[in-house]
Amino acid sequence: MADKLDNLTPFPPGNNANPNGRPKGSKNRSTIARKWLEVMQDAKNPITGELEKLSQEDLITLAMIHKARKGDVGAYKQLMDSGFGMPTQQIEQTIIEQPLFPDK
C-alpha cells in the first residue's frame, strides 16, 4: 500500500491545484437559481384559477400544493417541512455503568 502513495507529494507552500481560481465576477449556482426563481410571468393560479403575475418560485410552490391536494404525500411532506421545519427527533439515552470486561 505504501508504494501506491509514494507519488503523492503535497503542493509547495503558496501553490495550489487551481492557481487562477474562479474568475472574478462569476456567479455561483445559488445566485443564478435565485435570479431565475424571481422571474415574474403572467400565469393561471392552479388553486384560484385566476390569471396573476407570479414568480417561478410561486408557480413551483403552487404546483406542489396542487399535487399535495390531489393526494401526493411526498409533496405534502415537502411543503410541511418547508413551511414549518422538519420535525425534531429525540433520542433517549440511558447510561448503564458496567465494566467492559467483566470478571469471570
Side-chain angles (χ1 to χ4, degrees):
M1 183 70 168
D3 57 327
K4 289 184 180 181
L5 300 177
D6 289 341
N7 67 343
L8 298 177
T9 57
F11 290 105
N15 293 338
N16 65 27
N18 189 6
N20 295 331
R22 188 168 73 181
K24 291 210 184 281
S26 66
K27 295 179 177 141
N28 61 26
R29 191 179 324 169
S30 63
T31 303
I32 294 167
R34 270 187 263 130
K35 171 190 167 190
W36 288 109
L37 285 171
E38 292 172 0
V39 171
M40 301 294 281
Q41 76 179 64
D42 290 329
K44 181 180 173 185
N45 184 325
I47 296 175
T48 63
E50 297 176 7
L51 190 64
E52 301 178 30
K53 190 170 266 309
L54 300 168
S55 69
Q56 301 304 303
E57 185 177 15
D58 292 334
L59 289 169
I60 292 167
T61 303
L62 288 169
M64 285 187 66
I65 292 170
H66 188 68
K67 284 179 72 172
R69 290 181 68 187
K70 286 187 168 192
D72 187 328
V73 176
Y76 174 75
K77 182 182 179 328
Q78 289 292 333
L79 286 166
M80 295 303 287
D81 290 349
S82 294
F84 302 102
M86 295 182 68
T88 56
Q89 292 183 339
Q90 294 184 358
I91 300 172
E92 190 173 317
Q93 182 178 0
T94 57
I95 299 174
I96 301 172
E97 292 194 26
Q98 38 181 230
L100 287 175
F101 304 105
D103 294 331
K104 293 185 181 181

